[in-house]
Amino acid sequence: MDYGIPVTLDLPFADTVERVRAALAEQGFGILTEIDVRATLRAKIGEEIEDYLILGACNPPLAHRALQADRHIGLLLPCNVVVRADGGRTVVEAMDPQLMVQVTGQPALQAVADEAATRLRTALAALTG
């Protein structure tokens, strides 16, 4: 099962993070959470990995519609967007909102998932265009 929407950029990690934030904001997503996985693993278990950031992106109107359709959907929110270094490039991967429909089997979530996916794909496309 493919559960992500990926794009790879020939940009440094920090520049990509700034561009991702801006592209998501253009599509109505705010960042609710930010997890610096690299720093966390270094601090907690002494392990080193590449730059790896998880952004918890939320579009409030879409989240509200999803919660109206299924109160349990909060278990799958917010939409996670990963930004990670990969050699000299940076990979950006957004969780595919269609997972909400696949995991829950709730047809009422389809329209929300469709719109969220469109907005996330538009944001990621803006990074490459």
Side-chain angles (χ1 to χ4, degrees):
M1 174 187 351
D2 193 15
Y3 52 92
I5 305 166
V7 65
T8 301
L9 305 172
D10 289 319
L11 292 172
F13 178 81
D15 294 343
T16 301
V17 171
E18 287 181 33
R19 289 184 66 185
V20 167
R21 288 179 190 280
L24 289 170
E26 284 290 318
Q27 293 302 313
F29 290 92
I31 304 303
L32 298 180
T33 59
E34 182 175 321
I35 303 167
D36 183 338
V37 177
R38 180 180 189 187
T40 300
L41 293 179
R42 180 186 304 134
K44 300 294 182 184
I45 62 172
E47 291 293 329
E48 288 292 330
I49 67 167
E50 72 277 8
D51 286 321
Y52 196 114
L53 188 66
I54 302 172
L55 301 173
C58 178
N59 179 301
L62 292 177
H64 181 255
R65 286 174 44 204
L67 288 164
Q68 293 300 101
D70 182 352
R71 285 289 202 230
H72 300 287
I73 202 63
L75 294 167
L76 299 175
L77 297 177
C79 294
N80 284 325
V81 178
V82 170
V83 183
R84 62 182 174 84
D86 186 16
R89 305 172 89 192
T90 304
V91 176
V92 181
E93 300 168 299
M95 181 194 82
D96 187 343
Q98 298 302 332
L99 286 173
M100 292 189 306
V101 181
Q102 293 172 7
V103 168
T104 66
Q106 290 284 344
L109 291 169
Q110 188 64 62
V112 176
D114 290 346
E115 184 174 344
T118 296
R119 288 175 178 270
L120 287 170
R121 288 182 191 283
T122 299
L124 294 183
L127 298 173
T128 62

